[in-house]
């Protein structure tokens, strides 16, 4: 393995003392204790992570990583890989869902090409950090070399460093673009959890029943190949092997970004299935990363519930979304802002001159 040196830097420790202080404040606000439900929980969690009595969401950074997948040539997606580049142009022109959402919530948006197959110039406003022209076909060989996987992790870490240094980011959202990336995500989760494709594979870009069967077969064949090459399922569940053999360049960049957030004390707001696969990989590579994660939404992709079960916790929203791009997480930002505003600005009983015992 050729692990980057930064990967060994310590994960920031969380401080329960601040969460306890926030919980005590919530109990003094002019409301029955616990009556605002998860809005209270969000503020308490953020206070603990940010080590402050005044939790905040902004500045928010959304970084979208793009990459192509060799297994797309086997027809596992309902769309041709050319759509990756077309969508990159759409991101550049501000026409994608996440572009509209980031503008609406006032978030910084960066699009980073870590591995599309196009050899020319990337579209305007897209950062070119291409490591390879997509991954190899993981159904036949490892998706990445050790060097490529390491470089993709590092590209994600650099994106977080940029966002902190330039904007002082407090909450980080990673999105993704790449035809066949739900196939890679299903394979990574299957490798890490030693699960077969059924229950992990979903419609992605819009498969019918026959397409789903084909996609599931491709994932199971991929997992079987690499388990055999490594001498058994336990060896493929080792996170470095799982990530480089059956992952994607953009998924690896997301993984590196999540680890770097935890190292630098930035809150991670997770999106859906692909984001969750990267989060699970990040936690397996660097235990303790999970503490910095908030689950933004529950994806309609069927495998997401397995990721949620493995990570623990409960998503903030369940809107039947499965677009990706970071869109589900972005949708949760106004909710988090509301939680912080209530926590920071609502009057306590003492400030309002209200006697708690008098509330009916």
């Amino acid at each position: 393995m050729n692990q980057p040196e930064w990967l060994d830097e310590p994960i920031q420790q969380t401080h329960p003392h601040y969460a306890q202080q926030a919980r005590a404040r919530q109990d003094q606000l002019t409301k029955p204790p616990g009556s605002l439900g998860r809005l209270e929980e969000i503020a308490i969690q953020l206070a603990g992570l940010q080590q402050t009595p005044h939790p905040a969401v902004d500045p928010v950074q959304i970084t979208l990583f793009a990459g192509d997948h060799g297994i797309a040539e086997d027809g596992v997606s309902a769309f041709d890989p050319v759509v990756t580049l077309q969508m990159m142009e759409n991101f550049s022109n501000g026409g994608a869902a996440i572009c509209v959402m980031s503008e609406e919530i006032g978030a910084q948006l960066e699009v980073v090409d870590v591995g599309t197959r196009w050899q020319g110039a990337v579209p305007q406003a897209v950062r070119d950090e291409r490591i390879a022209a997509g991954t190899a076909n993981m159904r036949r060989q490892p998706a990445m070399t050790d060097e490529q996987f390491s470089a993709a992790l590092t590209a994600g870490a650099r994106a977080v460093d940029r966002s902190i240094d330039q904007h002082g980011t407090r909450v980080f959202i990673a999105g993704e673009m790449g035809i066949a990336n739900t196939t890679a995500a299903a394979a990574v989760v299957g490798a890490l959890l030693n699960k077969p494709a059924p229950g992990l594979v979903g419609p992605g870009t819009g498969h019918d029943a026959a397409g789903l069967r084909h996609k599931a077969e491709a994932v199971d064949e991929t997992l079987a190949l690499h388990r055999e090459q490594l001498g058994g399922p336990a060896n493929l569940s080792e996170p470095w092997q799982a990530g480089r053999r059956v992952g994607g360049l953009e998924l690896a960049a997301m993984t590196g970004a999540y680890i770097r957030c935890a190292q630098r004390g930035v809150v991670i707001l997770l999106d859906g299935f692909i984001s969750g696969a990267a989060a699970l990989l990040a936690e397996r590579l660097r235990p303790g990363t999970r503490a910095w994660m908030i689950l933004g939404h529950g994806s309609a992709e069927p495998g997401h519930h397995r990721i949620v079960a493995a990570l623990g916790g409960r998503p903030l929203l369940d809107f039947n979304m499965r677009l990706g791009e970071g869109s589900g997480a972005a949708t949760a930002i106004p909710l988090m802002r509301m939680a912080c505003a209530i926590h920071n600005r609502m009057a306590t009983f003492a400030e309002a001159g209200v006697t708690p015992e008098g509330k009916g």
Side-chain angles (χ1 to χ4, degrees):
M1 291 187 296
N2 186 26
Q3 293 192 17
E5 291 184 3
W6 65 266
L7 199 61
D8 292 326
E9 293 182 22
I11 302 294
Q12 290 282 331
Q13 297 297 308
T14 58
H15 293 268
H17 170 71
Y18 290 93
Q20 292 166 1
Q21 282 187 331
R23 184 170 287 105
R25 173 173 170 77
Q26 284 285 337
D27 289 343
Q28 292 302 311
L29 299 180
T30 48
K31 59 177 176 59
S35 59
L36 286 177
R38 299 195 70 190
L39 287 175
E40 298 183 21
E41 296 172 14
I42 292 168
I44 291 168
Q45 184 176 4
L46 286 174
L49 291 173
Q50 295 175 342
Q51 302 178 39
T52 176
H54 304 291
V57 173
D58 296 293
V60 177
Q61 173 72 37
I62 302 173
T63 300
L64 190 146
F65 299 100
D68 279 312
H69 296 261
I71 199 170
E73 68 191 27
D74 288 359
V76 296
S77 174
F79 284 85
D80 187 277
V82 71
V83 174
T84 301
L85 181 63
Q86 292 170 344
M87 281 301 298
M88 297 273 282
E89 293 170 340
N90 195 28
F91 293 130
S92 182
N93 295 329
I98 196 59
C99 300
V100 175
M101 298 171 87
S102 64
E103 183 177 6
E104 185 66 21
I105 65 173
Q108 294 291 329
L109 175 64
E110 182 178 60
V111 181
V112 183
D113 184 345
V114 291
T116 65
R117 68 180 187 176
W118 309 102
Q119 298 302 313
V122 299
Q124 186 180 8
V126 174
R127 187 180 182 92
D128 188 355
E129 295 201 10
R130 284 176 289 183
I131 296 158
T135 57
N137 189 337
M138 64 182 180
R139 204 172 178 181
R140 297 171 178 80
Q141 66 188 89
M144 290 167 275
T145 64
D146 281 330
E147 292 75 18
Q148 289 170 340
F149 184 55
S150 176
L153 290 170
T154 299
R158 280 199 304 266
V160 170
D161 286 340
R162 274 195 307 277
S163 74
I164 296 171
D165 296 343
Q166 294 176 10
H167 307 297
T169 300
R170 283 194 177 98
V171 174
F172 184 90
I173 296 170
E176 82 298 317
M177 179 62 216
I179 297 303
N181 57 13
T182 57
T183 302
V188 167
V189 176
L192 293 174
L193 300 182
N194 192 21
K195 298 289 185 182
L200 296 176
V201 169
T205 49
H207 275 303
D208 58 15
L212 277 175
R213 286 194 298 271
H214 175 65
K215 185 176 177 180
E217 289 170 1
V219 171
D220 276 337
E221 288 176 11
T222 295
L223 293 173
L225 170 70
H226 294 286
R227 285 167 179 157
E228 181 180 1
Q229 289 182 349
L230 291 173
N235 294 329
L236 185 57
S237 66
E238 192 280 319
W240 187 273
Q241 293 294 347
R244 85 166 187 92
R245 282 178 169 267
V246 301
L249 290 158
E250 81 281 37
L251 195 151
M254 296 170 77
T255 300
Y258 292 151
I259 293 170
R260 194 59 172 167
C261 282
Q263 290 173 335
R264 296 202 62 180
V266 171
V267 176
I268 303 160
L269 184 58
L270 294 180
D271 195 44
F273 182 53
I274 298 166
S275 172
L280 185 60
L281 182 58
E283 172 61 18
R284 295 295 177 88
L285 278 170
R286 284 305 315 271
T289 303
R290 169 66 182 93
W292 290 90
M293 299 174 185
I294 295 175
L295 279 65
H297 84 117
S299 173
E301 282 287 311
H304 191 236
H305 77 278
R306 292 187 182 272
I307 295 172
V308 172
L311 290 174
R314 184 160 57 106
L316 299 180
L317 303 174
D318 187 358
F319 280 3
N320 202 36
M321 297 172 69
R322 56 179 179 84
L323 172 62
E325 301 179 7
S327 57
T331 303
I333 287 292
L335 182 70
M336 294 174 64
R337 286 177 175 151
M338 182 67 73
C340 290
I342 291 168
H343 182 83
N344 294 328
R345 291 157 41 196
M346 190 173 175
T348 64
F349 288 114
E351 291 166 345
V354 173
T355 304
E357 292 77 9
K359 290 180 68 68

